[in-house]
Amino acid sequence: MRRWVLLGACWLLIACQPRQTGSENGVWVPNLRVVGRTQDYETVRYERDGVPLYAEIYRPKGKSRAPAVVLLPGGFVGVNANHRAAARRLAQAGYLVALPHMRGQGKSGGFIDFGLEDAVDVRGLAKSLPQVGGDGRYAYIGVSLGGAIAINAARNDPHVRGIVCVMTPMDFREQRQMLVNYGRTERAKRWDAWVGGSPDECPECWDARDPLKHVLEVRAPIMFIQAGEDVLIPVSQACRWRETRRAMGRTVYTVALTNDGKPWRGRLKERQRCALPFTGWGDLREDHLVFFPSLPHRTNDAVWDVALKALARWFEEGAHG
């Protein structure tokens, strides 16, 4: 009798444990738990393989359910005021916004690994957003490195509506060499430690994070926003992204805009000319390279207007595919 009591108690303890994860067609889907609230957002906590992860959820006013946008910050400094301002802008436009704290940054545990594990975390977060007010539709906006993580997260995902890449690097090896050329050798060594070695020491580590390889497996439309005066990310990388997508058989339209979002009529510098020819806007269910020739590595209202234009089209009923 005592044995059955003990067994019953064990089963009760197991049943009462919070379920940490679920799955959707084999994809990891976490359970989100609200652990904090501010005037602007809620903080949710979830876990993968014992690593605590956090995201901020921004809700649109007047909607119990809304299409979701996962906003992925760049850099390795965590969520900042600019990211939160962008999240509020998107929520005001009617979207449920998830702003994750990447591994080893902000509230999240774990270690920075240059976005590889982040991509798995992000895809699970996107799938879980109906738990907190998403309507099942979702898209990604990634800023700088966040765009590369978004591309990785969207690989072979038939449900993601689209990706906006804002000033996103497409060649990490080239980015690292630029750091060395600029005398930023300590930062280059830090990248090596996060990735698992230098490109010579561990080429497979860099291959696993290669955005130009990942885009080959993305079926969703990509809006790629490139700044012409970006000293961190050369225009040539955006041009290589366009070539890669076209080689897949994708249609890629190319649009050039001034910093206030009007059609560009000026001349291009030699290093910018690979972006030619400009085609003008096409159906936003197709890929677009949106080029701001005079913009530095910084977002502005025109950049966010382009992103919102893409989201509006992707979330139209029947616009998927």
Side-chain angles (χ1 to χ4, degrees), residues 37 40 125 140 312:
R37 288 183 173 86
D40 293 330
L125 176 62
Y140 298 114

Side-chain angles (χ1 to χ4, degrees), residues 45-271:
R45 185 185 190 278
Y46 49 111
E47 289 187 6
R48 184 163 73 86
D49 296 333
V51 176
L53 302 168
Y54 292 82
E56 299 171 12
I57 304 297
Y58 296 75
R59 298 179 181 275
K61 291 184 178 179
K63 291 185 177 182
S64 59
R65 293 281 171 187
V69 177
V70 183
L71 175 62
L72 304 179
F76 304 100
V77 296
V79 171
N80 61 31
N82 290 332
H83 304 137
R84 292 187 171 108
R88 288 193 295 270
R89 182 194 291 257
L90 294 166
Q92 289 167 3
Y95 303 110
L96 179 90
V97 183
L99 177 59
H101 293 207
M102 300 303 191
R103 289 184 173 228
Q105 303 171 54
K107 293 179 178 293
S108 288
F111 301 95
I112 295 173
D113 78 335
F114 220 94
L116 200 61
E117 292 295 333
D118 286 320
V120 182
D121 300 339
V122 162
R123 183 166 178 170
L125 176 62
K127 298 286 187 184
S128 70
L129 291 175
Q131 299 172 25
V132 290
D135 68 4
R137 296 174 292 168
Y138 58 91
Y140 298 114
I141 296 181
V143 180
S144 194
L145 175 64
I149 296 172
I151 288 172
N152 193 355
R155 293 161 61 195
N156 300 312
D157 184 350
H159 303 297
V160 60
R161 292 300 181 104
I163 309 168
V164 179
C165 293
V166 182
M167 301 165 200
T168 293
M170 287 287 107
D171 188 333
F172 292 144
R173 285 179 170 90
E174 183 177 44
Q175 298 300 123
R176 181 191 180 279
Q177 187 59 48
M178 289 171 64
L179 289 177
V180 174
N181 294 344
Y182 292 155
R184 310 289 292 275
T185 53
E186 288 303 316
R187 178 167 291 187
K189 290 179 181 178
R190 196 177 310 140
W191 283 23
D192 293 346
W194 289 335
V195 171
S198 71
D200 291 333
E201 294 167 339
C202 189
E204 65 274 15
C205 298
W206 292 77
D207 289 343
R209 295 162 173 80
D210 188 345
L212 284 180
K213 292 180 183 289
H214 295 164
V215 297
L216 295 171
E217 300 177 79
V218 174
R219 295 163 53 183
I222 300 176
M223 176 73 72
F224 198 98
I225 300 174
Q226 174 69 37
E229 294 300 327
D230 194 333
V231 298
L232 302 177
I233 303 169
V235 177
S236 59
Q237 291 193 15
C239 296
R240 289 165 60 195
W241 166 82
R242 183 177 61 183
E243 292 168 5
T244 300
R245 293 294 276 180
R246 284 178 172 168
M248 296 170 56
R250 305 278 306 193
T251 298
V252 184
Y253 295 94
T254 305
V255 179
L257 302 175
T258 62
N259 287 4
D260 57 359
K262 297 178 181 177
W264 173 267
R265 305 297 184 193
R267 295 174 60 87
L268 297 182
K269 297 178 180 178
E270 183 62 31
R271 59 182 171 76

